[in-house]
Amino acid sequence: AFHSKAETPLGLLYNASGSGSVLEVHHCSLAIAILSDKRYNVFASLPEQDQKNAWGILIAAILATDMAKHNDIMKQFEAILPSYTVQNKDHRYVYPSLPPALLRPSSSLTTAQGE
């Protein structure tokens, strides 16, 4: 419960993964283990909320490689395609496994993307 409430990388992973996607969850676990090492943490220089967003995006991207969920992801993408615009943050992050609030970059990430 602590990890979920604190939105730690492991908490985000647990909430996102549910009971499926075993291989993808394993890949997320490895990525978290590697990137949690101070020598490899590419998110360390980001503000805390941006770190949470970055972890969420990383986890969602890995979980989205589960081919069992491919059709659902494609349906979401096809639903927004007619009205797609890069300015709409919801359109840039079509990941069904995480709440949209976790996937919306804030301050420094948004600035880094040129908005």
Side-chain angles (χ1 to χ4, degrees), residues 37-115:
D37 185 311
K38 290 180 183 179
R39 296 173 296 173
Y40 309 114
N41 187 347
V42 297
F43 305 139
S45 64
L46 297 173
E48 183 178 346
Q49 186 57 49
D50 290 345
Q51 286 186 38
K52 290 177 183 179
N53 291 337
W55 282 110
I57 291 168
L58 174 69
I59 291 166
I62 293 171
L63 293 176
T65 65
D66 183 348
M67 290 308 295
K69 297 179 181 175
H70 177 75
N71 287 335
D72 292 336
I73 294 169
M74 288 305 298
K75 285 178 186 173
Q76 276 191 306
F77 177 71
E78 289 167 358
I80 65 168
L81 193 57
S83 63
Y84 178 83
T85 175
V86 73
Q87 287 77 24
N88 184 331
K89 291 178 185 176
D90 291 331
H91 290 178
R92 287 185 269 159
Y93 300 100
V94 181
Y95 296 109
S97 52
L98 283 179
L102 287 178
L103 299 172
R104 288 192 188 103
S106 59
S107 62
S108 67
L109 286 181
T110 302
T111 304
Q113 292 175 355
E115 293 187 337

